[in-house]
Amino acid sequence: MSRYWSEVVHNLTPYVPGEQPKLPDLIKLNTNENPYGPSPRALAAIQGEVADTLKLYPDPNADLLKAAIADFHGIAPANIFVGNGSDEVLAHAFLALLKHTNPILFPDITYSFYPVYCGLYGIDYETVALDDGFAIRPEDYRRPNGGIIFPNPNAPTGRALPLAAIETILAGNPDSVVVVDEAYIDFGGETAVPLVARYPNLLVVHTLSKSRSLAGLRVGYAIGHADLIQALVRVKDSFNSYPLDRLAIVGGAAAMADREHFDRTRQAVIASRDWLTAEMSGLGFDVLPSAANFIFARHPEHDAGELAKALRERSIIVRHFRLPRIEQFLRITVGTDAQCQALVAALREIAA
Ligand SMILES: *Cc1c(COP(=O)(O)O)cnc(C)c1O
């Protein structure tokens, strides 16, 4: 608190990121990073860019990166916006496309950055309760609104919504922008990107942080009708013309082009997730069906806070949200096989 702060800053409730402890030998399963590391081609491209050319500003349009994203998805660069991590892309979408008179809608249990952006930009919102199985009910999004946003698969539940349900929400809200945050889509969900051609109110947001293991590079993008993209560009060019530096542009482009690394590592994560789900179910946990690189689970006889504490004593960090409806759940990132095995061994010991 300072008397020098603006009123806006006094009233903010900032997002709290998962902790990044600097301890050796930690099994870090709390922030949904990908344990397999980025494409070697991305690393080589970044190394090649560490040169005297860093004295020059990067391309404000990041055309090289957009071309690689366009090629991956089979769409036109005019339908792509790139930003400094998808968090920045989402922030611009809130200001450019979701700030209207009516409140926007998002699930009661979802990515906790959404209400933070609403606070920052002065956007009213209403939360829509997930059903008892923690699934989104598309029919609940048929009411007046200034926009709709949800992750698919949802976070932190991991539950995916089928494309038909997304289409129901889009068709029922032709006057609102529907933002589908597909941060985890590559781990098993059905992407809404093909719907962009038919729904001018759809914005799909992706990140290279999760399935391409580049959380440290900060690259995210949105795909939508050119009019929606133009709105995002207007905000970006009123905020920071160069959100992606030279390393991020070349590294991101190379990562998008390396389909072999992408497919191999995401399949490894999917296989480990399914193994972890089976093992934890065997230990008595209720595990929600996950299409993401994390699982969301509770144990009927063990308090989630106690479990998280006991895991931490064994150098394993998971995420526990002390929030209504989910205070008995742990969100556990899928790690390497060895990390998953260590987690299961620790849980077996704790539960015994
Ligand atoms: C991780 C995550 C993001 C942000 O990813 P960055 O690209 O690293 O900013 C956005 N949405 C959801 C739901 C996420 O889990």
Side-chain angles (χ1 to χ4, degrees):
M1 276 267 274
S2 160
R3 66 193 178 95
Y4 297 113
W5 287 8
S6 69
E7 199 186 320
V8 172
V9 165
H10 271 294
N11 292 323
L12 292 179
T13 310
Y15 178 74
V16 183
E19 53 176 333
Q20 298 288 354
K22 289 164 189 68
L23 301 171
D25 303 324
L26 200 66
I27 299 185
K28 195 176 168 305
L29 305 177
N30 67 328
T31 52
N32 297 344
E33 287 138 331
N34 183 323
Y36 293 111
S39 153
R41 288 167 60 184
L43 298 181
I46 292 166
Q47 271 150 7
E49 197 69 15
V50 178
D52 187 54
T53 41
L54 283 174
K55 70 188 173 198
L56 302 173
Y57 281 105
D59 173 6
N61 301 318
D63 283 334
L64 183 85
L65 175 58
K66 279 191 206 163
I69 294 167
D71 189 55
F72 181 86
H73 289 285
I75 52 165
N79 296 112
I80 300 167
F81 176 82
V82 295
N84 189 271
S86 62
D87 283 339
E88 184 183 79
V89 176
L90 291 167
H92 290 348
F94 272 77
L95 185 59
L97 303 169
L98 300 179
K99 184 173 163 66
H100 300 288
T101 314
N102 277 332
I104 66 164
L105 306 178
F106 50 79
D108 61 338
I109 297 163
T110 196
Y111 188 34
S112 44
F113 226 133
Y114 301 158
V116 174
Y117 294 131
C118 288
L120 177 61
Y121 293 124
I123 300 168
D124 286 337
Y125 66 90
E126 284 171 11
T127 59
V128 181
L130 298 177
D131 72 13
D132 290 342
F134 297 96
I136 289 172
R137 268 186 308 238
E139 58 274 22
D140 292 347
Y141 290 79
R142 258 202 134 97
R143 61 197 223 202
N145 64 75
I148 294 170
I149 182 165
F150 54 88
N152 191 40
N154 196 8
T157 65
R159 292 209 62 161
L161 204 57
L163 214 47
I166 293 187
E167 209 166 347
T168 301
I169 295 174
L170 284 163
N173 291 279
D175 298 326
S176 300
V177 170
V178 177
V179 180
V180 183
D181 179 353
E182 294 192 337
Y184 301 103
I185 198 69
D186 299 318
F187 300 108
E190 236 182 320
T191 181
V193 167
L195 297 181
V196 163
R198 282 191 287 127
Y199 292 94
N201 59 330
L202 169 62
L203 191 77
V204 183
V205 179
H206 278 210
T207 176
L208 275 66
S209 298
K210 314 287 169 45
S211 56
R212 288 184 179 78
S213 203
L214 281 168
L217 197 63
R218 312 305 303 131
V219 181
Y221 59 93
I223 296 176
H225 189 283
D227 290 349
L228 303 189
I229 299 303
Q230 272 313 308
L232 298 173
V233 171
R234 286 171 74 94
V235 171
K236 171 223 163 216
D237 285 332
S238 306
F239 180 77
N240 176 4
S241 304
Y242 307 103
L244 289 148
D245 61 51
R246 286 176 171 273
L247 309 185
I249 291 171
V250 297
M256 292 306 298
D258 191 347
R259 293 184 198 224
E260 188 278 325
H261 180 85
F262 169 70
D263 277 325
R264 186 164 39 78
T265 52
R266 74 192 174 116
Q267 292 309 336
V269 168
I270 291 168
S272 300
R273 175 191 69 213
D274 295 346
W275 180 84
L276 194 56
T277 301
E279 290 291 315
M280 287 186 57
S281 303
L283 292 176
F285 281 87
D286 299 327
V287 185
L288 296 191
S290 170
N293 70 337
F294 58 85
I295 61 170
F296 203 52
R298 72 182 150 196
H299 197 289
E301 285 133 40
H302 294 276
D303 177 73
E306 297 292 321
L307 284 174
K309 189 162 156 271
L311 285 171
R312 176 177 291 264
E313 283 157 9
R314 291 163 176 81
S315 294
I316 301 174
I317 302 201
V318 300
R319 191 100 195 243
H320 176 221
F321 299 93
R322 292 177 195 281
L323 295 172
R325 290 187 79 186
I326 58 167
E327 67 276 352
Q328 284 308 323
F329 279 87
L330 295 176
R331 192 196 68 188
I332 303 172
T333 306
V334 175
T336 59
D337 285 347
Q339 290 175 324
C340 292
Q341 282 159 13
L343 171 78
V344 169
L347 285 173
R348 183 168 289 126
E349 196 181 285
I350 295 163

PDB file of all heavy atoms in Angstrom, residues 31-32 84-88 90 111 114 151 153-155 181 183-184 205-210 215 218-220 294 331, ligand 1:
ATOM      1  N   THR A  31       2.864 -26.674 -12.024  1.00  0.00           N
ATOM      2  CA  THR A  31       2.517 -25.587 -12.949  1.00  0.00           C
ATOM      3  C   THR A  31       2.329 -26.065 -14.393  1.00  0.00           C
ATOM      4  O   THR A  31       2.411 -25.251 -15.334  1.00  0.00           O
ATOM      5  CB  THR A  31       3.550 -24.432 -12.913  1.00  0.00           C
ATOM      6  OG1 THR A  31       4.849 -24.975 -13.086  1.00  0.00           O
ATOM      7  CG2 THR A  31       3.499 -23.672 -11.603  1.00  0.00           C
ATOM      8  N   ASN A  32       2.088 -27.350 -14.571  1.00  0.00           N
ATOM      9  CA  ASN A  32       1.732 -27.901 -15.892  1.00  0.00           C
ATOM     10  C   ASN A  32       2.782 -27.650 -16.969  1.00  0.00           C
ATOM     11  O   ASN A  32       2.466 -27.541 -18.155  1.00  0.00           O
ATOM     12  CB  ASN A  32       0.362 -27.378 -16.352  1.00  0.00           C
ATOM     13  CG  ASN A  32      -0.741 -27.823 -15.421  1.00  0.00           C
ATOM     14  OD1 ASN A  32      -0.539 -28.744 -14.624  1.00  0.00           O
ATOM     15  ND2 ASN A  32      -1.897 -27.200 -15.503  1.00  0.00           N
ATOM     16  N   ASN A  84       3.000 -12.352 -26.316  1.00  0.00           N
ATOM     17  CA  ASN A  84       3.993 -12.757 -25.329  1.00  0.00           C
ATOM     18  C   ASN A  84       3.344 -13.726 -24.327  1.00  0.00           C
ATOM     19  O   ASN A  84       2.921 -13.350 -23.237  1.00  0.00           O
ATOM     20  CB  ASN A  84       4.522 -11.501 -24.626  1.00  0.00           C
ATOM     21  CG  ASN A  84       5.706 -11.794 -23.736  1.00  0.00           C
ATOM     22  OD1 ASN A  84       5.553 -12.104 -22.559  1.00  0.00           O
ATOM     23  ND2 ASN A  84       6.877 -11.706 -24.277  1.00  0.00           N
ATOM     24  N   GLY A  85       3.253 -14.980 -24.747  1.00  0.00           N
ATOM     25  CA  GLY A  85       2.510 -15.962 -23.962  1.00  0.00           C
ATOM     26  C   GLY A  85       1.030 -15.793 -24.221  1.00  0.00           C
ATOM     27  O   GLY A  85       0.570 -14.707 -24.610  1.00  0.00           O
ATOM     28  N   SER A  86       0.255 -16.868 -24.037  1.00  0.00           N
ATOM     29  CA  SER A  86      -1.180 -16.719 -24.299  1.00  0.00           C
ATOM     30  C   SER A  86      -1.838 -15.864 -23.234  1.00  0.00           C
ATOM     31  O   SER A  86      -2.908 -15.308 -23.456  1.00  0.00           O
ATOM     32  CB  SER A  86      -1.869 -18.069 -24.464  1.00  0.00           C
ATOM     33  OG  SER A  86      -1.782 -18.822 -23.306  1.00  0.00           O
ATOM     34  N   ASP A  87      -1.206 -15.715 -22.082  1.00  0.00           N
ATOM     35  CA  ASP A  87      -1.776 -14.801 -21.084  1.00  0.00           C
ATOM     36  C   ASP A  87      -1.893 -13.387 -21.656  1.00  0.00           C
ATOM     37  O   ASP A  87      -2.890 -12.698 -21.422  1.00  0.00           O
ATOM     38  CB  ASP A  87      -0.922 -14.775 -19.808  1.00  0.00           C
ATOM     39  CG  ASP A  87      -1.136 -16.009 -18.943  1.00  0.00           C
ATOM     40  OD1 ASP A  87      -2.184 -16.671 -19.086  1.00  0.00           O
ATOM     41  OD2 ASP A  87      -0.257 -16.318 -18.117  1.00  0.00           O
ATOM     42  N   GLU A  88      -0.899 -12.958 -22.407  1.00  0.00           N
ATOM     43  CA  GLU A  88      -0.991 -11.629 -23.009  1.00  0.00           C
ATOM     44  C   GLU A  88      -2.073 -11.594 -24.092  1.00  0.00           C
ATOM     45  O   GLU A  88      -2.824 -10.616 -24.208  1.00  0.00           O
ATOM     46  CB  GLU A  88       0.352 -11.199 -23.601  1.00  0.00           C
ATOM     47  CG  GLU A  88       0.303  -9.787 -24.134  1.00  0.00           C
ATOM     48  CD  GLU A  88       1.600  -9.360 -24.786  1.00  0.00           C
ATOM     49  OE1 GLU A  88       1.838  -9.746 -25.948  1.00  0.00           O
ATOM     50  OE2 GLU A  88       2.384  -8.662 -24.127  1.00  0.00           O
ATOM     51  N   LEU A  90      -4.734 -13.397 -24.174  1.00  0.00           N
ATOM     52  CA  LEU A  90      -6.015 -13.380 -23.462  1.00  0.00           C
ATOM     53  C   LEU A  90      -6.309 -11.985 -22.919  1.00  0.00           C
ATOM     54  O   LEU A  90      -7.429 -11.477 -23.035  1.00  0.00           O
ATOM     55  CB  LEU A  90      -5.995 -14.390 -22.303  1.00  0.00           C
ATOM     56  CG  LEU A  90      -5.977 -15.870 -22.708  1.00  0.00           C
ATOM     57  CD1 LEU A  90      -5.630 -16.750 -21.505  1.00  0.00           C
ATOM     58  CD2 LEU A  90      -7.328 -16.286 -23.285  1.00  0.00           C
ATOM     59  N   TYR A 111      -9.837 -21.211 -15.162  1.00  0.00           N
ATOM     60  CA  TYR A 111      -8.534 -20.542 -15.069  1.00  0.00           C
ATOM     61  C   TYR A 111      -8.703 -19.262 -14.251  1.00  0.00           C
ATOM     62  O   TYR A 111      -9.494 -18.385 -14.615  1.00  0.00           O
ATOM     63  CB  TYR A 111      -8.061 -20.231 -16.481  1.00  0.00           C
ATOM     64  CG  TYR A 111      -6.642 -19.711 -16.595  1.00  0.00           C
ATOM     65  CD1 TYR A 111      -5.634 -20.135 -15.734  1.00  0.00           C
ATOM     66  CD2 TYR A 111      -6.313 -18.812 -17.605  1.00  0.00           C
ATOM     67  CE1 TYR A 111      -4.342 -19.665 -15.870  1.00  0.00           C
ATOM     68  CE2 TYR A 111      -5.018 -18.339 -17.750  1.00  0.00           C
ATOM     69  CZ  TYR A 111      -4.031 -18.768 -16.872  1.00  0.00           C
ATOM     70  OH  TYR A 111      -2.756 -18.299 -17.027  1.00  0.00           O
ATOM     71  N   TYR A 114      -8.963 -15.320 -15.404  1.00  0.00           N
ATOM     72  CA  TYR A 114     -10.071 -14.597 -16.053  1.00  0.00           C
ATOM     73  C   TYR A 114     -10.653 -13.486 -15.166  1.00  0.00           C
ATOM     74  O   TYR A 114     -10.791 -12.357 -15.619  1.00  0.00           O
ATOM     75  CB  TYR A 114     -11.169 -15.562 -16.509  1.00  0.00           C
ATOM     76  CG  TYR A 114     -10.725 -16.628 -17.491  1.00  0.00           C
ATOM     77  CD1 TYR A 114     -11.453 -17.812 -17.633  1.00  0.00           C
ATOM     78  CD2 TYR A 114      -9.599 -16.475 -18.294  1.00  0.00           C
ATOM     79  CE1 TYR A 114     -11.062 -18.793 -18.533  1.00  0.00           C
ATOM     80  CE2 TYR A 114      -9.203 -17.455 -19.187  1.00  0.00           C
ATOM     81  CZ  TYR A 114      -9.943 -18.620 -19.299  1.00  0.00           C
ATOM     82  OH  TYR A 114      -9.559 -19.593 -20.181  1.00  0.00           O
ATOM     83  N   PRO A 151     -11.706 -22.453 -20.909  1.00  0.00           N
ATOM     84  CA  PRO A 151     -10.656 -23.283 -21.471  1.00  0.00           C
ATOM     85  C   PRO A 151     -11.248 -24.617 -21.922  1.00  0.00           C
ATOM     86  O   PRO A 151     -12.179 -25.119 -21.310  1.00  0.00           O
ATOM     87  CB  PRO A 151      -9.690 -23.519 -20.310  1.00  0.00           C
ATOM     88  CG  PRO A 151     -10.183 -22.667 -19.174  1.00  0.00           C
ATOM     89  CD  PRO A 151     -11.635 -22.451 -19.427  1.00  0.00           C
ATOM     90  N   PRO A 153      -9.470 -28.340 -23.054  1.00  0.00           N
ATOM     91  CA  PRO A 153     -10.041 -28.808 -21.804  1.00  0.00           C
ATOM     92  C   PRO A 153     -10.023 -27.719 -20.732  1.00  0.00           C
ATOM     93  O   PRO A 153      -9.148 -26.874 -20.743  1.00  0.00           O
ATOM     94  CB  PRO A 153      -9.122 -29.968 -21.398  1.00  0.00           C
ATOM     95  CG  PRO A 153      -8.364 -30.353 -22.626  1.00  0.00           C
ATOM     96  CD  PRO A 153      -8.306 -29.158 -23.477  1.00  0.00           C
ATOM     97  N   ASN A 154     -11.001 -27.821 -19.810  1.00  0.00           N
ATOM     98  CA  ASN A 154     -11.061 -26.833 -18.743  1.00  0.00           C
ATOM     99  C   ASN A 154      -9.891 -27.038 -17.776  1.00  0.00           C
ATOM    100  O   ASN A 154      -9.368 -28.134 -17.630  1.00  0.00           O
ATOM    101  CB  ASN A 154     -12.400 -26.943 -18.007  1.00  0.00           C
ATOM    102  CG  ASN A 154     -12.709 -25.722 -17.142  1.00  0.00           C
ATOM    103  OD1 ASN A 154     -12.006 -24.714 -17.181  1.00  0.00           O
ATOM    104  ND2 ASN A 154     -13.767 -25.815 -16.350  1.00  0.00           N
ATOM    105  N   ALA A 155      -9.492 -25.956 -17.154  1.00  0.00           N
ATOM    106  CA  ALA A 155      -8.467 -25.999 -16.113  1.00  0.00           C
ATOM    107  C   ALA A 155      -9.097 -25.412 -14.854  1.00  0.00           C
ATOM    108  O   ALA A 155      -9.824 -24.425 -14.954  1.00  0.00           O
ATOM    109  CB  ALA A 155      -7.264 -25.160 -16.531  1.00  0.00           C
ATOM    110  N   ASP A 181     -10.091 -21.146 -24.880  1.00  0.00           N
ATOM    111  CA  ASP A 181      -8.676 -21.151 -24.474  1.00  0.00           C
ATOM    112  C   ASP A 181      -8.185 -22.598 -24.546  1.00  0.00           C
ATOM    113  O   ASP A 181      -8.444 -23.404 -23.656  1.00  0.00           O
ATOM    114  CB  ASP A 181      -8.620 -20.580 -23.047  1.00  0.00           C
ATOM    115  CG  ASP A 181      -7.219 -20.538 -22.463  1.00  0.00           C
ATOM    116  OD1 ASP A 181      -6.284 -21.059 -23.092  1.00  0.00           O
ATOM    117  OD2 ASP A 181      -7.081 -19.983 -21.356  1.00  0.00           O
ATOM    118  N   ALA A 183      -5.273 -24.061 -24.242  1.00  0.00           N
ATOM    119  CA  ALA A 183      -3.900 -24.239 -23.730  1.00  0.00           C
ATOM    120  C   ALA A 183      -3.497 -25.714 -23.677  1.00  0.00           C
ATOM    121  O   ALA A 183      -2.320 -26.045 -23.828  1.00  0.00           O
ATOM    122  CB  ALA A 183      -3.785 -23.600 -22.343  1.00  0.00           C
ATOM    123  N   TYR A 184      -4.497 -26.612 -23.452  1.00  0.00           N
ATOM    124  CA  TYR A 184      -4.183 -28.036 -23.251  1.00  0.00           C
ATOM    125  C   TYR A 184      -4.735 -28.932 -24.358  1.00  0.00           C
ATOM    126  O   TYR A 184      -4.781 -30.154 -24.206  1.00  0.00           O
ATOM    127  CB  TYR A 184      -4.738 -28.497 -21.890  1.00  0.00           C
ATOM    128  CG  TYR A 184      -4.165 -27.701 -20.747  1.00  0.00           C
ATOM    129  CD1 TYR A 184      -4.898 -26.701 -20.129  1.00  0.00           C
ATOM    130  CD2 TYR A 184      -2.865 -27.937 -20.317  1.00  0.00           C
ATOM    131  CE1 TYR A 184      -4.358 -25.949 -19.090  1.00  0.00           C
ATOM    132  CE2 TYR A 184      -2.318 -27.188 -19.276  1.00  0.00           C
ATOM    133  CZ  TYR A 184      -3.068 -26.201 -18.679  1.00  0.00           C
ATOM    134  OH  TYR A 184      -2.522 -25.467 -17.656  1.00  0.00           O
ATOM    135  N   VAL A 205      -7.560 -19.690 -28.638  1.00  0.00           N
ATOM    136  CA  VAL A 205      -6.250 -19.254 -28.127  1.00  0.00           C
ATOM    137  C   VAL A 205      -5.378 -20.467 -27.809  1.00  0.00           C
ATOM    138  O   VAL A 205      -5.833 -21.419 -27.156  1.00  0.00           O
ATOM    139  CB  VAL A 205      -6.438 -18.360 -26.875  1.00  0.00           C
ATOM    140  CG1 VAL A 205      -5.085 -17.930 -26.315  1.00  0.00           C
ATOM    141  CG2 VAL A 205      -7.277 -17.124 -27.220  1.00  0.00           C
ATOM    142  N   HIS A 206      -4.145 -20.432 -28.308  1.00  0.00           N
ATOM    143  CA  HIS A 206      -3.183 -21.516 -28.076  1.00  0.00           C
ATOM    144  C   HIS A 206      -1.916 -20.966 -27.416  1.00  0.00           C
ATOM    145  O   HIS A 206      -1.636 -19.765 -27.482  1.00  0.00           O
ATOM    146  CB  HIS A 206      -2.787 -22.166 -29.411  1.00  0.00           C
ATOM    147  CG  HIS A 206      -3.773 -23.171 -29.902  1.00  0.00           C
ATOM    148  ND1 HIS A 206      -3.406 -24.252 -30.667  1.00  0.00           N
ATOM    149  CD2 HIS A 206      -5.111 -23.271 -29.739  1.00  0.00           C
ATOM    150  CE1 HIS A 206      -4.488 -24.972 -30.964  1.00  0.00           C
ATOM    151  NE2 HIS A 206      -5.535 -24.397 -30.415  1.00  0.00           N
ATOM    152  N   THR A 207      -1.146 -21.882 -26.827  1.00  0.00           N
ATOM    153  CA  THR A 207       0.132 -21.501 -26.227  1.00  0.00           C
ATOM    154  C   THR A 207       1.208 -22.509 -26.614  1.00  0.00           C
ATOM    155  O   THR A 207       0.902 -23.694 -26.839  1.00  0.00           O
ATOM    156  CB  THR A 207       0.013 -21.434 -24.698  1.00  0.00           C
ATOM    157  OG1 THR A 207       1.306 -21.152 -24.152  1.00  0.00           O
ATOM    158  CG2 THR A 207      -0.483 -22.743 -24.093  1.00  0.00           C
ATOM    159  N   LEU A 208       2.447 -22.056 -26.672  1.00  0.00           N
ATOM    160  CA  LEU A 208       3.570 -22.982 -26.873  1.00  0.00           C
ATOM    161  C   LEU A 208       4.154 -23.437 -25.532  1.00  0.00           C
ATOM    162  O   LEU A 208       5.128 -24.157 -25.475  1.00  0.00           O
ATOM    163  CB  LEU A 208       4.666 -22.327 -27.736  1.00  0.00           C
ATOM    164  CG  LEU A 208       4.470 -22.441 -29.258  1.00  0.00           C
ATOM    165  CD1 LEU A 208       3.262 -21.672 -29.733  1.00  0.00           C
ATOM    166  CD2 LEU A 208       5.711 -22.012 -30.018  1.00  0.00           C
ATOM    167  N   SER A 209       3.519 -22.992 -24.430  1.00  0.00           N
ATOM    168  CA  SER A 209       4.071 -23.289 -23.099  1.00  0.00           C
ATOM    169  C   SER A 209       3.877 -24.738 -22.677  1.00  0.00           C
ATOM    170  O   SER A 209       4.683 -25.276 -21.925  1.00  0.00           O
ATOM    171  CB  SER A 209       3.400 -22.404 -22.047  1.00  0.00           C
ATOM    172  OG  SER A 209       3.648 -21.051 -22.279  1.00  0.00           O
ATOM    173  N   LYS A 210       2.785 -25.360 -23.110  1.00  0.00           N
ATOM    174  CA  LYS A 210       2.449 -26.674 -22.576  1.00  0.00           C
ATOM    175  C   LYS A 210       2.869 -27.781 -23.546  1.00  0.00           C
ATOM    176  O   LYS A 210       3.832 -28.473 -23.306  1.00  0.00           O
ATOM    177  CB  LYS A 210       0.951 -26.749 -22.264  1.00  0.00           C
ATOM    178  CG  LYS A 210       0.383 -25.522 -21.500  1.00  0.00           C
ATOM    179  CD  LYS A 210       0.778 -25.436 -20.071  1.00  0.00           C
ATOM    180  CE  LYS A 210       0.494 -24.160 -19.296  1.00  0.00           C
ATOM    181  NZ  LYS A 210      -0.758 -23.488 -19.372  1.00  0.00           N
ATOM    182  N   ALA A 215       7.459 -22.923 -22.038  1.00  0.00           N
ATOM    183  CA  ALA A 215       6.887 -21.958 -21.094  1.00  0.00           C
ATOM    184  C   ALA A 215       7.834 -20.783 -20.850  1.00  0.00           C
ATOM    185  O   ALA A 215       7.396 -19.657 -20.629  1.00  0.00           O
ATOM    186  CB  ALA A 215       6.546 -22.655 -19.776  1.00  0.00           C
ATOM    187  N   ARG A 218       7.739 -17.714 -23.753  1.00  0.00           N
ATOM    188  CA  ARG A 218       6.581 -16.815 -23.772  1.00  0.00           C
ATOM    189  C   ARG A 218       6.047 -16.595 -25.187  1.00  0.00           C
ATOM    190  O   ARG A 218       6.252 -15.527 -25.785  1.00  0.00           O
ATOM    191  CB  ARG A 218       6.876 -15.454 -23.094  1.00  0.00           C
ATOM    192  CG  ARG A 218       7.553 -15.515 -21.739  1.00  0.00           C
ATOM    193  CD  ARG A 218       6.825 -16.370 -20.732  1.00  0.00           C
ATOM    194  NE  ARG A 218       5.455 -15.958 -20.505  1.00  0.00           N
ATOM    195  CZ  ARG A 218       4.423 -16.816 -20.527  1.00  0.00           C
ATOM    196  NH1 ARG A 218       4.601 -18.116 -20.779  1.00  0.00           N
ATOM    197  NH2 ARG A 218       3.221 -16.374 -20.308  1.00  0.00           N
ATOM    198  N   VAL A 219       5.393 -17.595 -25.730  1.00  0.00           N
ATOM    199  CA  VAL A 219       4.756 -17.457 -27.038  1.00  0.00           C
ATOM    200  C   VAL A 219       3.341 -18.042 -26.968  1.00  0.00           C
ATOM    201  O   VAL A 219       3.145 -19.180 -26.542  1.00  0.00           O
ATOM    202  CB  VAL A 219       5.538 -18.200 -28.155  1.00  0.00           C
ATOM    203  CG1 VAL A 219       4.845 -18.004 -29.508  1.00  0.00           C
ATOM    204  CG2 VAL A 219       6.983 -17.710 -28.230  1.00  0.00           C
ATOM    205  N   GLY A 220       2.367 -17.239 -27.381  1.00  0.00           N
ATOM    206  CA  GLY A 220       0.991 -17.699 -27.489  1.00  0.00           C
ATOM    207  C   GLY A 220       0.373 -17.086 -28.726  1.00  0.00           C
ATOM    208  O   GLY A 220       0.937 -16.150 -29.306  1.00  0.00           O
ATOM    209  N   PHE A 294      -2.411 -32.746 -17.024  1.00  0.00           N
ATOM    210  CA  PHE A 294      -2.484 -32.807 -15.567  1.00  0.00           C
ATOM    211  C   PHE A 294      -3.713 -33.616 -15.212  1.00  0.00           C
ATOM    212  O   PHE A 294      -4.584 -33.843 -16.062  1.00  0.00           O
ATOM    213  CB  PHE A 294      -2.579 -31.391 -14.967  1.00  0.00           C
ATOM    214  CG  PHE A 294      -3.756 -30.603 -15.477  1.00  0.00           C
ATOM    215  CD1 PHE A 294      -5.014 -30.736 -14.898  1.00  0.00           C
ATOM    216  CD2 PHE A 294      -3.615 -29.746 -16.566  1.00  0.00           C
ATOM    217  CE1 PHE A 294      -6.108 -30.026 -15.382  1.00  0.00           C
ATOM    218  CE2 PHE A 294      -4.706 -29.032 -17.049  1.00  0.00           C
ATOM    219  CZ  PHE A 294      -5.950 -29.175 -16.461  1.00  0.00           C
ATOM    220  N   ARG A 331      -4.332 -30.747  -8.075  1.00  0.00           N
ATOM    221  CA  ARG A 331      -4.030 -30.743  -9.505  1.00  0.00           C
ATOM    222  C   ARG A 331      -2.566 -31.159  -9.665  1.00  0.00           C
ATOM    223  O   ARG A 331      -1.674 -30.510  -9.116  1.00  0.00           O
ATOM    224  CB  ARG A 331      -4.246 -29.359 -10.117  1.00  0.00           C
ATOM    225  CG  ARG A 331      -4.218 -29.389 -11.646  1.00  0.00           C
ATOM    226  CD  ARG A 331      -4.041 -28.031 -12.253  1.00  0.00           C
ATOM    227  NE  ARG A 331      -2.710 -27.497 -11.976  1.00  0.00           N
ATOM    228  CZ  ARG A 331      -2.323 -26.256 -12.260  1.00  0.00           C
ATOM    229  NH1 ARG A 331      -3.161 -25.420 -12.814  1.00  0.00           N
ATOM    230  NH2 ARG A 331      -1.092 -25.860 -11.985  1.00  0.00           N
TER     231      ARG A 331
HETATM  232  C1  LIG B   1      -1.029 -22.166 -18.900  1.00  0.00           C
HETATM  233  C2  LIG B   1      -2.307 -21.533 -19.310  1.00  0.00           C
HETATM  234  C3  LIG B   1      -2.344 -20.360 -20.049  1.00  0.00           C
HETATM  235  C4  LIG B   1      -1.163 -19.451 -20.215  1.00  0.00           C
HETATM  236  O1  LIG B   1      -0.142 -19.887 -20.920  1.00  0.00           O
HETATM  237  P1  LIG B   1       1.057 -18.939 -21.339  1.00  0.00           P
HETATM  238  O2  LIG B   1       1.050 -19.056 -22.811  1.00  0.00           O
HETATM  239  O3  LIG B   1       2.243 -19.567 -20.696  1.00  0.00           O
HETATM  240  O4  LIG B   1       0.810 -17.541 -20.869  1.00  0.00           O
HETATM  241  C5  LIG B   1      -3.555 -19.892 -20.516  1.00  0.00           C
HETATM  242  N1  LIG B   1      -4.701 -20.530 -20.223  1.00  0.00           N
HETATM  243  C6  LIG B   1      -4.718 -21.627 -19.470  1.00  0.00           C
HETATM  244  C7  LIG B   1      -6.017 -22.274 -19.168  1.00  0.00           C
HETATM  245  C8  LIG B   1      -3.529 -22.151 -18.986  1.00  0.00           C
HETATM  246  O5  LIG B   1      -3.548 -23.212 -18.179  1.00  0.00           O
END
